[in-house]
Amino acid sequence: MKEESSDTPPALKLHLEVLKAIAHPLRIQIIDFIHTHKEVNVNKIYSALGFEQSITSQHLKTMRTAGVVIHRKTERFVFYSLDYDVLAKVGHALTALQTD
């Protein structure tokens, strides 16, 4: 893992993992798909977007680790939704940069 740059604005240091997790074209597509469906089964994500299951799972794991998505398991399925609180905090930090 890369070290944080010493010139990273303090308002963003706490949110670097989230920013890294959403800074990928496939993850942006997954985020948009989850947002549209509110809560969605992982199988529906990869089949609707045309991604391989393993690739989808890797990206979801990265976003889950960063706190971007929330997962809920049932006996047979795993469902994902966005953690809007986490995304809002990052949004506020980015907005704060404009006013500094």
Side-chain angles (χ1 to χ4, degrees), residues 47-59:
S47 62
L49 296 177
F51 301 155
E52 291 182 25
Q53 185 272 332
S54 61
I55 297 295
T56 305
S57 293
Q58 276 184 313
H59 287 295

Side-chain angles (χ1 to χ4, degrees), residues 1 8 13 19 23 29 41 47 53 70 75 79:
M1 181 168 221
T8 301
K13 282 188 180 181
L19 291 169
Q29 289 181 52
N41 177 305
S47 62
Q53 185 272 332
I70 301 165
E75 286 185 25
F79 293 88

Side-chain angles (χ1 to χ4, degrees), residues 4-17:
E4 290 179 20
S5 171
S6 61
D7 59 347
T8 301
L12 290 182
K13 282 188 180 181
L14 295 174
H15 305 294
L16 284 177
E17 290 306 312

Side-chain angles (χ1 to χ4, degrees), residues 13-28:
K13 282 188 180 181
L14 295 174
H15 305 294
L16 284 177
E17 290 306 312
V18 172
L19 291 169
K20 289 176 190 175
I22 63 176
H24 189 285
L26 295 181
R27 291 185 203 134
I28 291 169

Side-chain angles (χ1 to χ4, degrees), residues 66-99:
V68 174
V69 295
I70 301 165
H71 73 288
R72 176 178 67 85
K73 293 181 182 181
T74 66
E75 286 185 25
R76 297 180 56 205
F77 300 105
V78 179
F79 293 88
Y80 284 88
S81 58
L82 296 176
D83 191 331
Y84 289 102
D85 291 336
V86 168
L87 295 171
K89 288 176 186 175
V90 173
H92 292 303
L94 291 170
T95 302
L97 290 175
Q98 293 178 321
T99 59

